[in-house]
Structures are given as C-alpha cells and as structure tokens.
Amino acid sequence: MRAVVQRVKRAQVDIDGQTVGKIGRGLVILLGVGHDDAEAEVERLWGKIARLRIFEDADGKTNLSLADVDGEVLIVSQFTLFASCKKGNRPSFTQAGAPDEANRLYELFVERARRDVPHVETGRFGAQMDVSLVNDGPFTLWLDTDTL
C-alpha cells in the first residue's frame, strides 16, 4: 500500500461539480492499493499515519500528531501511485490492485481511520475527482508499506 500524505489547512473533493468530501485542518491521504496488499497493510499504514508527529507545537516544532490537534482526514483512492514508467512514456498500472480487492481494502482503510478520527471524509473509489487543497508548509510525505 502506498500513500501520499499532505498536511493541509483545508481540502475538498468534488465529483461532477458536487462536493462529496471537505475537511479543515488535517491530512489528505491519497491511497494506492497494490496487487499484493492485504489487511495487514491497512493496519500498518494507518498505524503509522495516525502516529506521525507532523503538526507544529507552540514552539514551531513538528511534535504533534493528528489526534493532538483534533485534525480531520480526507482519504482519496489513487491507483496511479502504483504506476511504473520504466518502459516508454505511457505509465503501466500492472502493480495496482484489482479493482474489487482494491476497493475493499480502501474501504477497510477508511473504516480503520474512522475508529480514531471523528471527522473522516472520502472521495469515491474509481470516480473522476477534482481534489483541491491548501498544503500547510508545504508538508508532504510518501509512505509505502514495503518500506515501513
């Protein structure tokens, strides 16, 4: 499983001109599911994200977690995180999870996040989405369960 995690001041996701998810201060998580991923990766990845100390304390140091700042979360599925550009100029997505299984694990990840965070919003799996955000910092991390 792979995630791009962005600390944001605010973010939203729109589908066909309608806002389907909107948050204030917190994290946008672009989530990709690989073909070898399972429930263990959901737990490992969410556990790491939930405990990341990437919010600033009163001294301006990144010492606070999502829970410490009562942060919100927007989770957006993004299979393109498993793109390979090794051959040619057109990305290959053969390492991305099969849609049914990827959707199941995406939903499981959302469910897991909702156990810890009162305000979790999502996009829609497989939809064409417009994601807008104000990146705070900017602060962006790339996480891969293969290297956690």
Side-chain angles (χ1 to χ4, degrees):
M1 230 173 222
R2 294 178 179 162
V4 172
V5 179
Q6 297 178 295
R7 186 180 73 189
V8 299
K9 293 181 179 181
R10 64 184 171 278
Q12 73 181 48
V13 60
D14 297 327
I15 299 173
D16 295 328
Q18 300 291 329
T19 300
V20 297
K22 185 175 183 178
I23 64 167
R25 182 182 190 200
L27 299 175
V28 169
I29 302 169
L30 305 176
L31 183 68
V33 177
H35 66 79
D36 289 332
D37 290 335
E39 285 98 359
E41 282 74 27
V42 169
E43 288 299 322
R44 187 176 327 130
L45 184 58
W46 173 251
K48 177 60 82 172
I49 291 170
R51 291 187 307 271
L52 284 173
R53 296 180 348 182
I54 61 173
F55 292 90
E56 293 179 359
D57 63 17
D59 296 323
K61 304 286 185 195
T62 53
N63 282 324
L64 303 177
S65 70
L66 190 62
D68 294 330
V69 299
D70 295 320
E72 301 175 349
V73 174
L74 175 63
I75 304 169
V76 177
S77 65
Q78 190 162 353
F79 78 96
T80 61
L81 292 177
F82 277 89
S84 172
C85 298
K86 286 183 180 181
K87 294 181 181 178
N89 294 316
R90 183 174 184 213
S92 168
F93 300 103
T94 59
Q95 296 300 308
D100 288 345
E101 181 64 4
N103 186 34
R104 184 183 78 79
L105 292 173
Y106 167 78
E107 293 295 338
L108 188 62
F109 186 89
V110 170
E111 178 184 309
R112 182 64 189 87
R114 285 184 170 145
R115 284 191 235 152
D116 294 335
V117 179
H119 187 196
V120 175
E121 298 282 330
T122 67
R124 188 174 308 137
F125 187 89
Q128 178 68 35
M129 296 173 274
D130 295 325
V131 180
S132 58
L133 58 93
V134 176
N135 193 316
D136 182 17
F139 203 113
T140 302
L141 300 173
W142 163 271
L143 301 174
D144 188 321
T145 54
D146 287 346
T147 59
L148 291 180

PDB file of all heavy atoms in Angstrom, residues 90-121:
ATOM      1  N   ARG A  90       4.277   5.873 -21.541  1.00  0.00           N
ATOM      2  CA  ARG A  90       2.919   5.655 -21.048  1.00  0.00           C
ATOM      3  C   ARG A  90       3.013   4.797 -19.794  1.00  0.00           C
ATOM      4  O   ARG A  90       3.533   3.680 -19.827  1.00  0.00           O
ATOM      5  CB  ARG A  90       2.072   4.948 -22.097  1.00  0.00           C
ATOM      6  CG  ARG A  90       0.654   4.763 -21.652  1.00  0.00           C
ATOM      7  CD  ARG A  90      -0.197   4.203 -22.760  1.00  0.00           C
ATOM      8  NE  ARG A  90      -1.570   4.126 -22.309  1.00  0.00           N
ATOM      9  CZ  ARG A  90      -2.409   3.208 -22.687  1.00  0.00           C
ATOM     10  NH1 ARG A  90      -2.029   2.282 -23.548  1.00  0.00           N
ATOM     11  NH2 ARG A  90      -3.623   3.209 -22.237  1.00  0.00           N
ATOM     12  N   PRO A  91       2.514   5.285 -18.655  1.00  0.00           N
ATOM     13  CA  PRO A  91       2.607   4.522 -17.414  1.00  0.00           C
ATOM     14  C   PRO A  91       1.869   3.184 -17.504  1.00  0.00           C
ATOM     15  O   PRO A  91       0.826   3.073 -18.153  1.00  0.00           O
ATOM     16  CB  PRO A  91       1.934   5.418 -16.379  1.00  0.00           C
ATOM     17  CG  PRO A  91       1.954   6.783 -16.969  1.00  0.00           C
ATOM     18  CD  PRO A  91       1.871   6.588 -18.458  1.00  0.00           C
ATOM     19  N   SER A  92       2.442   2.197 -16.845  1.00  0.00           N
ATOM     20  CA  SER A  92       1.810   0.886 -16.704  1.00  0.00           C
ATOM     21  C   SER A  92       1.259   0.775 -15.285  1.00  0.00           C
ATOM     22  O   SER A  92       1.906   1.213 -14.331  1.00  0.00           O
ATOM     23  CB  SER A  92       2.850  -0.206 -16.940  1.00  0.00           C
ATOM     24  OG  SER A  92       2.336  -1.463 -16.529  1.00  0.00           O
ATOM     25  N   PHE A  93       0.097   0.172 -15.149  1.00  0.00           N
ATOM     26  CA  PHE A  93      -0.537   0.054 -13.842  1.00  0.00           C
ATOM     27  C   PHE A  93      -0.696  -1.401 -13.414  1.00  0.00           C
ATOM     28  O   PHE A  93      -1.575  -1.736 -12.619  1.00  0.00           O
ATOM     29  CB  PHE A  93      -1.893   0.773 -13.855  1.00  0.00           C
ATOM     30  CG  PHE A  93      -1.759   2.241 -14.169  1.00  0.00           C
ATOM     31  CD1 PHE A  93      -2.078   2.724 -15.422  1.00  0.00           C
ATOM     32  CD2 PHE A  93      -1.274   3.119 -13.219  1.00  0.00           C
ATOM     33  CE1 PHE A  93      -1.935   4.072 -15.724  1.00  0.00           C
ATOM     34  CE2 PHE A  93      -1.121   4.474 -13.498  1.00  0.00           C
ATOM     35  CZ  PHE A  93      -1.452   4.947 -14.760  1.00  0.00           C
ATOM     36  N   THR A  94       0.167  -2.262 -13.907  1.00  0.00           N
ATOM     37  CA  THR A  94       0.037  -3.687 -13.607  1.00  0.00           C
ATOM     38  C   THR A  94       0.299  -4.016 -12.143  1.00  0.00           C
ATOM     39  O   THR A  94      -0.122  -5.072 -11.667  1.00  0.00           O
ATOM     40  CB  THR A  94       0.983  -4.530 -14.493  1.00  0.00           C
ATOM     41  OG1 THR A  94       2.329  -4.105 -14.270  1.00  0.00           O
ATOM     42  CG2 THR A  94       0.617  -4.387 -15.964  1.00  0.00           C
ATOM     43  N   GLN A  95       0.960  -3.132 -11.410  1.00  0.00           N
ATOM     44  CA  GLN A  95       1.224  -3.370  -9.991  1.00  0.00           C
ATOM     45  C   GLN A  95       0.074  -2.907  -9.087  1.00  0.00           C
ATOM     46  O   GLN A  95       0.070  -3.204  -7.892  1.00  0.00           O
ATOM     47  CB  GLN A  95       2.521  -2.684  -9.569  1.00  0.00           C
ATOM     48  CG  GLN A  95       3.750  -3.235 -10.274  1.00  0.00           C
ATOM     49  CD  GLN A  95       3.953  -4.717 -10.012  1.00  0.00           C
ATOM     50  OE1 GLN A  95       3.967  -5.164  -8.874  1.00  0.00           O
ATOM     51  NE2 GLN A  95       4.078  -5.488 -11.079  1.00  0.00           N
ATOM     52  N   ALA A  96      -0.883  -2.188  -9.657  1.00  0.00           N
ATOM     53  CA  ALA A  96      -2.046  -1.743  -8.883  1.00  0.00           C
ATOM     54  C   ALA A  96      -2.951  -2.931  -8.593  1.00  0.00           C
ATOM     55  O   ALA A  96      -3.008  -3.898  -9.360  1.00  0.00           O
ATOM     56  CB  ALA A  96      -2.811  -0.674  -9.653  1.00  0.00           C
ATOM     57  N   GLY A  97      -3.665  -2.860  -7.484  1.00  0.00           N
ATOM     58  CA  GLY A  97      -4.572  -3.932  -7.101  1.00  0.00           C
ATOM     59  C   GLY A  97      -5.753  -4.041  -8.041  1.00  0.00           C
ATOM     60  O   GLY A  97      -6.181  -3.048  -8.650  1.00  0.00           O
ATOM     61  N   ALA A  98      -6.304  -5.244  -8.148  1.00  0.00           N
ATOM     62  CA  ALA A  98      -7.532  -5.444  -8.917  1.00  0.00           C
ATOM     63  C   ALA A  98      -8.636  -4.591  -8.301  1.00  0.00           C
ATOM     64  O   ALA A  98      -8.721  -4.471  -7.075  1.00  0.00           O
ATOM     65  CB  ALA A  98      -7.914  -6.918  -8.918  1.00  0.00           C
ATOM     66  N   PRO A  99      -9.486  -3.981  -9.113  1.00  0.00           N
ATOM     67  CA  PRO A  99     -10.461  -3.020  -8.604  1.00  0.00           C
ATOM     68  C   PRO A  99     -11.314  -3.504  -7.422  1.00  0.00           C
ATOM     69  O   PRO A  99     -11.466  -2.764  -6.440  1.00  0.00           O
ATOM     70  CB  PRO A  99     -11.330  -2.699  -9.823  1.00  0.00           C
ATOM     71  CG  PRO A  99     -10.400  -2.901 -10.974  1.00  0.00           C
ATOM     72  CD  PRO A  99      -9.537  -4.066 -10.585  1.00  0.00           C
ATOM     73  N   ASP A 100     -11.871  -4.711  -7.481  1.00  0.00           N
ATOM     74  CA  ASP A 100     -12.733  -5.170  -6.380  1.00  0.00           C
ATOM     75  C   ASP A 100     -11.973  -5.285  -5.068  1.00  0.00           C
ATOM     76  O   ASP A 100     -12.442  -4.840  -4.021  1.00  0.00           O
ATOM     77  CB  ASP A 100     -13.394  -6.508  -6.725  1.00  0.00           C
ATOM     78  CG  ASP A 100     -14.473  -6.372  -7.789  1.00  0.00           C
ATOM     79  OD1 ASP A 100     -14.913  -5.229  -8.057  1.00  0.00           O
ATOM     80  OD2 ASP A 100     -14.878  -7.405  -8.356  1.00  0.00           O
ATOM     81  N   GLU A 101     -10.788  -5.876  -5.121  1.00  0.00           N
ATOM     82  CA  GLU A 101      -9.978  -6.038  -3.912  1.00  0.00           C
ATOM     83  C   GLU A 101      -9.419  -4.702  -3.443  1.00  0.00           C
ATOM     84  O   GLU A 101      -9.379  -4.414  -2.243  1.00  0.00           O
ATOM     85  CB  GLU A 101      -8.852  -7.046  -4.135  1.00  0.00           C
ATOM     86  CG  GLU A 101      -7.989  -7.290  -2.928  1.00  0.00           C
ATOM     87  CD  GLU A 101      -8.700  -7.922  -1.730  1.00  0.00           C
ATOM     88  OE1 GLU A 101      -9.896  -8.257  -1.823  1.00  0.00           O
ATOM     89  OE2 GLU A 101      -8.030  -8.082  -0.696  1.00  0.00           O
ATOM     90  N   ALA A 102      -9.008  -3.858  -4.363  1.00  0.00           N
ATOM     91  CA  ALA A 102      -8.503  -2.533  -4.000  1.00  0.00           C
ATOM     92  C   ALA A 102      -9.589  -1.711  -3.320  1.00  0.00           C
ATOM     93  O   ALA A 102      -9.329  -1.034  -2.320  1.00  0.00           O
ATOM     94  CB  ALA A 102      -7.973  -1.816  -5.237  1.00  0.00           C
ATOM     95  N   ASN A 103     -10.807  -1.783  -3.839  1.00  0.00           N
ATOM     96  CA  ASN A 103     -11.915  -1.055  -3.222  1.00  0.00           C
ATOM     97  C   ASN A 103     -12.192  -1.590  -1.820  1.00  0.00           C
ATOM     98  O   ASN A 103     -12.427  -0.823  -0.883  1.00  0.00           O
ATOM     99  CB  ASN A 103     -13.170  -1.149  -4.090  1.00  0.00           C
ATOM    100  CG  ASN A 103     -14.293  -0.281  -3.564  1.00  0.00           C
ATOM    101  OD1 ASN A 103     -14.063   0.787  -3.015  1.00  0.00           O
ATOM    102  ND2 ASN A 103     -15.513  -0.749  -3.724  1.00  0.00           N
ATOM    103  N   ARG A 104     -12.159  -2.902  -1.654  1.00  0.00           N
ATOM    104  CA  ARG A 104     -12.391  -3.492  -0.330  1.00  0.00           C
ATOM    105  C   ARG A 104     -11.352  -2.987   0.678  1.00  0.00           C
ATOM    106  O   ARG A 104     -11.693  -2.587   1.791  1.00  0.00           O
ATOM    107  CB  ARG A 104     -12.349  -5.012  -0.424  1.00  0.00           C
ATOM    108  CG  ARG A 104     -12.666  -5.721   0.888  1.00  0.00           C
ATOM    109  CD  ARG A 104     -12.544  -7.231   0.760  1.00  0.00           C
ATOM    110  NE  ARG A 104     -11.161  -7.676   0.790  1.00  0.00           N
ATOM    111  CZ  ARG A 104     -10.437  -7.811   1.920  1.00  0.00           C
ATOM    112  NH1 ARG A 104     -10.976  -7.529   3.092  1.00  0.00           N
ATOM    113  NH2 ARG A 104      -9.192  -8.233   1.852  1.00  0.00           N
ATOM    114  N   LEU A 105     -10.086  -2.965   0.272  1.00  0.00           N
ATOM    115  CA  LEU A 105      -9.034  -2.513   1.178  1.00  0.00           C
ATOM    116  C   LEU A 105      -9.094  -1.004   1.406  1.00  0.00           C
ATOM    117  O   LEU A 105      -8.817  -0.528   2.516  1.00  0.00           O
ATOM    118  CB  LEU A 105      -7.669  -2.944   0.658  1.00  0.00           C
ATOM    119  CG  LEU A 105      -7.430  -4.459   0.687  1.00  0.00           C
ATOM    120  CD1 LEU A 105      -6.124  -4.810  -0.009  1.00  0.00           C
ATOM    121  CD2 LEU A 105      -7.467  -4.994   2.108  1.00  0.00           C
ATOM    122  N   TYR A 106      -9.475  -0.256   0.388  1.00  0.00           N
ATOM    123  CA  TYR A 106      -9.680   1.187   0.547  1.00  0.00           C
ATOM    124  C   TYR A 106     -10.771   1.440   1.593  1.00  0.00           C
ATOM    125  O   TYR A 106     -10.590   2.237   2.518  1.00  0.00           O
ATOM    126  CB  TYR A 106     -10.056   1.811  -0.799  1.00  0.00           C
ATOM    127  CG  TYR A 106     -10.586   3.216  -0.723  1.00  0.00           C
ATOM    128  CD1 TYR A 106      -9.735   4.294  -0.543  1.00  0.00           C
ATOM    129  CD2 TYR A 106     -11.951   3.469  -0.835  1.00  0.00           C
ATOM    130  CE1 TYR A 106     -10.223   5.590  -0.469  1.00  0.00           C
ATOM    131  CE2 TYR A 106     -12.445   4.756  -0.772  1.00  0.00           C
ATOM    132  CZ  TYR A 106     -11.581   5.814  -0.588  1.00  0.00           C
ATOM    133  OH  TYR A 106     -12.073   7.084  -0.513  1.00  0.00           O
ATOM    134  N   GLU A 107     -11.894   0.747   1.463  1.00  0.00           N
ATOM    135  CA  GLU A 107     -12.995   0.918   2.424  1.00  0.00           C
ATOM    136  C   GLU A 107     -12.583   0.488   3.824  1.00  0.00           C
ATOM    137  O   GLU A 107     -12.967   1.104   4.816  1.00  0.00           O
ATOM    138  CB  GLU A 107     -14.234   0.146   1.964  1.00  0.00           C
ATOM    139  CG  GLU A 107     -14.866   0.687   0.701  1.00  0.00           C
ATOM    140  CD  GLU A 107     -15.444   2.091   0.843  1.00  0.00           C
ATOM    141  OE1 GLU A 107     -15.753   2.514   1.986  1.00  0.00           O
ATOM    142  OE2 GLU A 107     -15.585   2.774  -0.190  1.00  0.00           O
ATOM    143  N   LEU A 108     -11.789  -0.559   3.927  1.00  0.00           N
ATOM    144  CA  LEU A 108     -11.283  -1.011   5.214  1.00  0.00           C
ATOM    145  C   LEU A 108     -10.368   0.048   5.835  1.00  0.00           C
ATOM    146  O   LEU A 108     -10.434   0.316   7.042  1.00  0.00           O
ATOM    147  CB  LEU A 108     -10.547  -2.337   5.057  1.00  0.00           C
ATOM    148  CG  LEU A 108     -10.117  -3.041   6.327  1.00  0.00           C
ATOM    149  CD1 LEU A 108     -11.329  -3.426   7.182  1.00  0.00           C
ATOM    150  CD2 LEU A 108      -9.320  -4.293   5.973  1.00  0.00           C
ATOM    151  N   PHE A 109      -9.534   0.672   5.013  1.00  0.00           N
ATOM    152  CA  PHE A 109      -8.664   1.749   5.489  1.00  0.00           C
ATOM    153  C   PHE A 109      -9.496   2.916   6.014  1.00  0.00           C
ATOM    154  O   PHE A 109      -9.213   3.461   7.088  1.00  0.00           O
ATOM    155  CB  PHE A 109      -7.737   2.204   4.353  1.00  0.00           C
ATOM    156  CG  PHE A 109      -6.707   3.202   4.773  1.00  0.00           C
ATOM    157  CD1 PHE A 109      -5.473   2.783   5.240  1.00  0.00           C
ATOM    158  CD2 PHE A 109      -6.960   4.561   4.685  1.00  0.00           C
ATOM    159  CE1 PHE A 109      -4.511   3.712   5.629  1.00  0.00           C
ATOM    160  CE2 PHE A 109      -6.016   5.493   5.070  1.00  0.00           C
ATOM    161  CZ  PHE A 109      -4.785   5.076   5.547  1.00  0.00           C
ATOM    162  N   VAL A 110     -10.537   3.293   5.288  1.00  0.00           N
ATOM    163  CA  VAL A 110     -11.424   4.381   5.719  1.00  0.00           C
ATOM    164  C   VAL A 110     -12.085   4.012   7.051  1.00  0.00           C
ATOM    165  O   VAL A 110     -12.115   4.828   7.975  1.00  0.00           O
ATOM    166  CB  VAL A 110     -12.490   4.691   4.639  1.00  0.00           C
ATOM    167  CG1 VAL A 110     -13.557   5.625   5.172  1.00  0.00           C
ATOM    168  CG2 VAL A 110     -11.830   5.255   3.385  1.00  0.00           C
ATOM    169  N   GLU A 111     -12.591   2.801   7.142  1.00  0.00           N
ATOM    170  CA  GLU A 111     -13.225   2.333   8.374  1.00  0.00           C
ATOM    171  C   GLU A 111     -12.238   2.385   9.547  1.00  0.00           C
ATOM    172  O   GLU A 111     -12.579   2.817  10.649  1.00  0.00           O
ATOM    173  CB  GLU A 111     -13.719   0.901   8.174  1.00  0.00           C
ATOM    174  CG  GLU A 111     -14.358   0.272   9.381  1.00  0.00           C
ATOM    175  CD  GLU A 111     -14.726  -1.176   9.101  1.00  0.00           C
ATOM    176  OE1 GLU A 111     -15.383  -1.429   8.067  1.00  0.00           O
ATOM    177  OE2 GLU A 111     -14.327  -2.043   9.909  1.00  0.00           O
ATOM    178  N   ARG A 112     -11.018   1.961   9.286  1.00  0.00           N
ATOM    179  CA  ARG A 112      -9.984   1.973  10.333  1.00  0.00           C
ATOM    180  C   ARG A 112      -9.687   3.389  10.781  1.00  0.00           C
ATOM    181  O   ARG A 112      -9.561   3.676  11.972  1.00  0.00           O
ATOM    182  CB  ARG A 112      -8.720   1.277   9.809  1.00  0.00           C
ATOM    183  CG  ARG A 112      -7.612   1.182  10.802  1.00  0.00           C
ATOM    184  CD  ARG A 112      -8.026   0.315  11.997  1.00  0.00           C
ATOM    185  NE  ARG A 112      -7.052   0.400  13.045  1.00  0.00           N
ATOM    186  CZ  ARG A 112      -7.036   1.337  13.997  1.00  0.00           C
ATOM    187  NH1 ARG A 112      -7.944   2.289  14.017  1.00  0.00           N
ATOM    188  NH2 ARG A 112      -6.100   1.328  14.922  1.00  0.00           N
ATOM    189  N   ALA A 113      -9.577   4.323   9.855  1.00  0.00           N
ATOM    190  CA  ALA A 113      -9.328   5.725  10.200  1.00  0.00           C
ATOM    191  C   ALA A 113     -10.478   6.290  11.030  1.00  0.00           C
ATOM    192  O   ALA A 113     -10.248   7.038  11.989  1.00  0.00           O
ATOM    193  CB  ALA A 113      -9.133   6.546   8.923  1.00  0.00           C
ATOM    194  N   ARG A 114     -11.693   5.916  10.702  1.00  0.00           N
ATOM    195  CA  ARG A 114     -12.864   6.442  11.414  1.00  0.00           C
ATOM    196  C   ARG A 114     -12.936   5.965  12.867  1.00  0.00           C
ATOM    197  O   ARG A 114     -13.609   6.589  13.679  1.00  0.00           O
ATOM    198  CB  ARG A 114     -14.143   6.078  10.665  1.00  0.00           C
ATOM    199  CG  ARG A 114     -14.312   6.931   9.426  1.00  0.00           C
ATOM    200  CD  ARG A 114     -15.602   6.669   8.698  1.00  0.00           C
ATOM    201  NE  ARG A 114     -15.784   7.696   7.672  1.00  0.00           N
ATOM    202  CZ  ARG A 114     -16.344   7.495   6.502  1.00  0.00           C
ATOM    203  NH1 ARG A 114     -16.809   6.283   6.172  1.00  0.00           N
ATOM    204  NH2 ARG A 114     -16.462   8.482   5.638  1.00  0.00           N
ATOM    205  N   ARG A 115     -12.248   4.900  13.202  1.00  0.00           N
ATOM    206  CA  ARG A 115     -12.184   4.469  14.608  1.00  0.00           C
ATOM    207  C   ARG A 115     -11.377   5.449  15.449  1.00  0.00           C
ATOM    208  O   ARG A 115     -11.600   5.549  16.650  1.00  0.00           O
ATOM    209  CB  ARG A 115     -11.564   3.080  14.718  1.00  0.00           C
ATOM    210  CG  ARG A 115     -12.507   1.976  14.323  1.00  0.00           C
ATOM    211  CD  ARG A 115     -11.903   0.639  14.706  1.00  0.00           C
ATOM    212  NE  ARG A 115     -11.868  -0.196  13.525  1.00  0.00           N
ATOM    213  CZ  ARG A 115     -11.004  -1.162  13.304  1.00  0.00           C
ATOM    214  NH1 ARG A 115     -10.073  -1.441  14.188  1.00  0.00           N
ATOM    215  NH2 ARG A 115     -11.063  -1.866  12.207  1.00  0.00           N
ATOM    216  N   ASP A 116     -10.426   6.139  14.814  1.00  0.00           N
ATOM    217  CA  ASP A 116      -9.532   7.039  15.546  1.00  0.00           C
ATOM    218  C   ASP A 116      -9.839   8.519  15.366  1.00  0.00           C
ATOM    219  O   ASP A 116      -9.453   9.323  16.209  1.00  0.00           O
ATOM    220  CB  ASP A 116      -8.078   6.807  15.105  1.00  0.00           C
ATOM    221  CG  ASP A 116      -7.553   5.448  15.493  1.00  0.00           C
ATOM    222  OD1 ASP A 116      -8.066   4.858  16.459  1.00  0.00           O
ATOM    223  OD2 ASP A 116      -6.620   4.964  14.818  1.00  0.00           O
ATOM    224  N   VAL A 117     -10.466   8.866  14.257  1.00  0.00           N
ATOM    225  CA  VAL A 117     -10.650  10.278  13.906  1.00  0.00           C
ATOM    226  C   VAL A 117     -12.138  10.570  13.763  1.00  0.00           C
ATOM    227  O   VAL A 117     -12.825   9.916  12.965  1.00  0.00           O
ATOM    228  CB  VAL A 117      -9.911  10.600  12.583  1.00  0.00           C
ATOM    229  CG1 VAL A 117     -10.101  12.055  12.196  1.00  0.00           C
ATOM    230  CG2 VAL A 117      -8.427  10.264  12.703  1.00  0.00           C
ATOM    231  N   PRO A 118     -12.648  11.555  14.513  1.00  0.00           N
ATOM    232  CA  PRO A 118     -14.082  11.861  14.433  1.00  0.00           C
ATOM    233  C   PRO A 118     -14.566  12.345  13.070  1.00  0.00           C
ATOM    234  O   PRO A 118     -15.694  12.082  12.690  1.00  0.00           O
ATOM    235  CB  PRO A 118     -14.275  12.969  15.481  1.00  0.00           C
ATOM    236  CG  PRO A 118     -13.105  12.858  16.393  1.00  0.00           C
ATOM    237  CD  PRO A 118     -11.972  12.318  15.567  1.00  0.00           C
ATOM    238  N   HIS A 119     -13.702  13.064  12.312  1.00  0.00           N
ATOM    239  CA  HIS A 119     -14.147  13.619  11.036  1.00  0.00           C
ATOM    240  C   HIS A 119     -13.266  13.085   9.910  1.00  0.00           C
ATOM    241  O   HIS A 119     -12.161  13.585   9.678  1.00  0.00           O
ATOM    242  CB  HIS A 119     -14.111  15.145  11.078  1.00  0.00           C
ATOM    243  CG  HIS A 119     -14.704  15.776   9.862  1.00  0.00           C
ATOM    244  ND1 HIS A 119     -14.505  17.078   9.531  1.00  0.00           N
ATOM    245  CD2 HIS A 119     -15.496  15.286   8.868  1.00  0.00           C
ATOM    246  CE1 HIS A 119     -15.135  17.370   8.395  1.00  0.00           C
ATOM    247  NE2 HIS A 119     -15.738  16.290   7.984  1.00  0.00           N
ATOM    248  N   VAL A 120     -13.779  12.057   9.218  1.00  0.00           N
ATOM    249  CA  VAL A 120     -13.094  11.466   8.064  1.00  0.00           C
ATOM    250  C   VAL A 120     -14.014  11.586   6.859  1.00  0.00           C
ATOM    251  O   VAL A 120     -15.163  11.142   6.905  1.00  0.00           O
ATOM    252  CB  VAL A 120     -12.735   9.980   8.305  1.00  0.00           C
ATOM    253  CG1 VAL A 120     -12.134   9.363   7.045  1.00  0.00           C
ATOM    254  CG2 VAL A 120     -11.782   9.839   9.487  1.00  0.00           C
ATOM    255  N   GLU A 121     -13.510  12.189   5.807  1.00  0.00           N
ATOM    256  CA  GLU A 121     -14.251  12.328   4.559  1.00  0.00           C
ATOM    257  C   GLU A 121     -13.536  11.519   3.487  1.00  0.00           C
ATOM    258  O   GLU A 121     -12.360  11.179   3.631  1.00  0.00           O
ATOM    259  CB  GLU A 121     -14.336  13.801   4.143  1.00  0.00           C
ATOM    260  CG  GLU A 121     -15.076  14.682   5.122  1.00  0.00           C
ATOM    261  CD  GLU A 121     -16.572  14.565   5.028  1.00  0.00           C
ATOM    262  OE1 GLU A 121     -17.088  14.289   3.919  1.00  0.00           O
ATOM    263  OE2 GLU A 121     -17.244  14.762   6.051  1.00  0.00           O
TER     264      GLU A 121
END
